[in-house]
Amino acid sequence: EVQLVQSGAEVKKPGESLKISCKGSGYRFTRYWIGWVRQMPGKGLEWMGIIYPGDSDSRYRPSFQGQVTISADKSISTAYMQWSSLKASDTAMYYCARHIGEQQIHDGFDIWGQGTMVTVSS
Amino acid sequence: SYELTQPPSVSVSPGQTARITCSGDALPKKYAYWYQQKSGQAPVLVIYEDSKRPSGIPERFSGSSSGTMATLTISGAQVKDEADYYCYSTDSSGNHRVFGGGTKLTVL
């Protein structure tokens, strides 16, 4: 079964760092772009960025560039999203998702992780 | 920045046809994708590349695109189809990927 399994919910304070993960299984992890999508409480979906685990090539939405870092460790089929200094406005559900087509950079997502809820509060 | 525009809400009675639209300047050249998100759950792909249906998605879900508008049609909508629906696409350069604002479908 093709699936993405994300790390568990996090509660952090402003200014703290965080790295959440997304582990793929059931397919060739290195050959599909993986994306991250933010959903703030009660709001819609926002595309944040994507990474190709095969060579770690990445793209970011301009508003997220410099605010988060997307990475991948192909040896353990895991993608990551990290923050160096969290803000209260980072409170949201974060989803990872896989592109539909192998090696297709311009594509939609078919397989989604279950989501990781990040709460940032003092 | 590029935007996809959806109506905030659509309401139909069970058995009726629900149509949810998504407008964007680049849609004549770029595919639209549609996602269903039920409360508290991750999104699910229901239509890709304008009109293709993934395996496991009921035949009552269909998609089309004409000009600057893509449409998700749910024929014979059921109460269990109540959800938020999002379109997704890119701008003409392919560099800016966006979701529409979402449409809340009510079936009652």
Side-chain angles (χ1 to χ4, degrees):
Chain A
E1 180 192 4
V2 176
Q3 60 179 350
L4 297 172
V5 178
Q6 298 185 230
S7 49
E10 301 275 2
V11 180
K12 292 288 190 179
K13 291 181 169 33
E16 292 186 331
S17 63
L18 176 64
K19 193 173 189 177
I20 61 175
S21 66
C22 168
K23 183 173 178 61
S25 62
Y27 72 99
R28 292 184 68 179
F29 184 76
T30 55
R31 296 180 68 81
Y32 290 79
W33 289 80
I34 291 277
W36 289 92
V37 175
R38 182 174 79 174
Q39 188 167 38
M40 300 177 77
K43 302 298 184 183
L45 304 174
E46 297 176 89
W47 186 90
M48 300 178 70
I50 52 174
I51 188 165
Y52 188 71
D55 60 8
S56 290
D57 186 13
S58 61
R59 305 281 190 278
Y60 291 86
R61 181 175 182 152
S63 57
F64 289 104
Q65 183 91 44
Q67 307 304 307
V68 297
T69 302
I70 297 172
S71 61
D73 185 340
K74 61 185 179 182
S75 69
I76 55 172
S77 300
T78 301
Y80 302 96
M81 169 81 71
Q82 67 181 81
W83 295 258
S84 59
S85 181
L86 286 160
K87 301 183 281 286
S89 57
D90 293 317
T91 294
M93 180 71 83
Y94 292 88
Y95 294 101
C96 65
R98 190 194 78 165
H99 271 190
I100 300 169
E102 195 170 307
Q103 298 182 303
Q104 294 300 310
I105 187 172
H106 297 296
D107 211 355
F109 301 113
D110 59 350
I111 306 298
W112 292 67
Q114 82 276 20
T116 296
M117 184 66 207
V118 174
T119 303
V120 184
S121 174
S122 54
Chain B
S1 61
Y2 187 55
E3 292 184 357
L4 296 172
T5 302
Q6 298 180 234
S9 63
V10 168
S11 183
V12 298
S13 299
Q16 287 189 326
T17 296
R19 293 182 179 85
I20 299 172
T21 58
C22 172
S23 65
D25 290 342
L27 288 177
K29 302 176 189 175
K30 298 297 183 183
Y31 287 127
Y33 301 79
W34 290 94
Y35 296 91
Q36 176 195 68
Q37 187 181 35
K38 295 183 178 179
S39 181
Q41 298 182 20
V44 172
L45 177 70
V46 293
I47 293 291
Y48 67 103
E49 293 181 357
D50 291 344
S51 60
K52 297 178 182 177
R53 196 172 51 248
S55 61
I57 300 301
E59 289 185 10
R60 64 180 181 276
F61 289 87
S62 63
S64 62
S65 188
S66 178
T68 59
M69 185 169 290
T71 302
L72 172 68
T73 300
I74 307 171
S75 303
Q78 301 180 10
V79 173
K80 62 182 174 183
D81 298 330
E82 282 201 341
D84 293 322
Y85 290 84
Y86 295 91
C87 61
Y88 172 84
S89 188
T90 71
D91 70 353
S92 56
S93 72
N95 291 327
H96 297 283
R97 301 160 175 84
V98 294
F99 288 93
T103 298
K104 182 175 184 59
L105 174 66
T106 301
V107 183
L108 54 74

